[in-house]
Amino acid sequence: MKKILVLEDEANIRSFVVINLRRSGFEPIEAETGEMALEKLRVNPDICLALLDVMLPDIDGFEVCRRIRATGSKMGIIMLTAKSQEIDKVTGLMTGADDYVTKPFSPAELTARVDALIRRLGIDEDERSSTELVSGPFLLNTRNRTLEKDGQRLKLTQIEYLLMKLFMENPGKAMSREDILTAVWGNDFKGELKTVDVNIRRLRIKIESDPTEPEYLTTVWGYGYKWGY
């Protein structure tokens, strides 16, 4: 049974989420503060996905997300926010979140987003073969889902890994934002095309010597992106 961290300080909302996750066959791990969530993660290293509320009494959900990613964890992260401002969505994605759900949400929407993220991150997959993709200074191992540049390991989120895999499997091919969104996030993802741009910007910071003048992951103006090495 897959463990899912539920970080929500409002008891009624947390109970609502926990009940529906249990009905869907998950094992919820509850936390009402950011510090409690980090402790739960420490003692439950097999948690595969975290639902993080943004507004918390101690540290906010963005900071919890940053700390999770700072450990190198590739678990799925969905932000739960009562706000609809664009900046909150962008902030969540830039701190390492994979998706966001705006309150109020229905049980069906939440479980659908959880299921979709689990599928696209390959949490259900049993990867039996070791495969390496090589492009210039980059080596992508698709079994342990790691990326090296000039022999140095780069820390990627699962979404960043899926983007790198998509581009390295399609060198020189111009890919539209719509194609990228479908390939990486799936057909049932309801987010905006800006999700692609935000994650590309974050990925460039990690792989490019100068993210403002990308050498490898280049922009096809008015269309999308391509792996240009």
Side-chain angles (χ1 to χ4, degrees):
M1 187 178 293
K2 298 179 184 65
K3 292 182 180 179
I4 297 182
L5 175 70
V6 180
L7 171 55
E8 170 60 64
D9 65 319
E10 294 188 37
N12 59 332
I13 297 178
R14 189 172 67 251
S15 176
F16 164 80
V17 172
V18 165
I19 289 170
N20 284 284
L21 288 175
R22 285 203 179 110
R23 286 175 178 169
S24 298
F26 299 107
E27 180 182 347
I29 306 295
E30 300 181 54
E32 58 183 321
T33 68
E35 293 295 348
M36 184 184 296
L38 294 171
E39 176 61 18
K40 296 282 189 178
L41 288 166
R42 188 185 68 79
V43 299
N44 292 276
D46 55 341
I47 288 174
C48 68
L49 189 146
L51 301 173
L52 306 180
D53 185 30
V54 172
M55 303 301 292
L56 297 167
D58 52 352
I59 56 177
D60 65 28
F62 298 137
E63 179 60 24
V64 175
C65 183
R66 288 189 193 96
R67 294 191 191 183
I68 291 173
R69 292 305 186 214
T71 67
S73 172
K74 293 181 173 63
M75 75 170 60
I77 296 178
I78 298 176
M79 306 302 297
L80 305 178
T81 174
K83 299 179 179 179
S84 59
Q85 288 95 329
E86 191 69 25
I87 186 63
D88 291 306
K89 300 174 184 177
V90 172
T91 300
L93 293 170
M94 287 300 291
T95 54
D98 300 298
D99 198 359
Y100 54 84
V101 177
T102 303
K103 300 175 186 176
F105 48 80
S106 69
E109 178 188 8
L110 182 63
T111 54
R113 300 289 272 273
V114 168
D115 287 338
L117 183 56
I118 285 176
R119 284 198 306 274
R120 71 174 181 262
L121 296 186
I123 294 171
D124 282 330
E125 294 177 3
D126 177 19
E127 295 179 302
R128 295 178 175 85
S129 61
S130 177
T131 304
E132 294 182 345
L133 297 173
V134 179
S135 179
F138 297 96
L139 186 151
L140 188 78
N141 187 303
T142 60
R143 176 168 184 170
N144 57 27
R145 305 169 82 88
T146 58
L147 178 70
E148 294 180 3
K149 180 181 181 183
D150 294 322
Q152 298 297 312
R153 179 74 59 85
L154 303 180
K155 290 184 178 180
L156 300 182
T157 67
Q158 288 282 26
I159 290 296
E160 290 163 356
Y161 161 79
L162 292 173
L163 284 168
M164 282 298 299
K165 183 172 183 289
L166 176 65
F167 284 115
M168 290 180 67
E169 287 177 337
N170 296 276
K173 178 182 178 181
M175 306 189 72
S176 70
R177 288 174 175 82
E178 291 85 356
D179 289 340
I180 296 169
L181 195 70
T182 298
V184 174
W185 282 267
N187 288 315
D188 51 0
F189 181 66
K190 304 302 182 184
E192 302 169 3
L193 287 178
K194 288 184 179 179
T195 301
V196 174
D197 299 320
V198 170
N199 281 276
I200 293 291
R201 185 160 70 245
R202 194 175 66 191
L203 179 58
R204 280 174 170 166
I205 291 172
K206 296 183 178 182
I207 68 172
E208 301 281 358
S209 299
D210 181 1
T212 64
E213 296 289 339
E215 178 183 0
Y216 307 104
L217 188 45
T218 57
T219 300
V220 181
W221 295 108
Y223 185 71
Y225 301 92
K226 72 174 180 178
W227 186 252
Y229 185 82

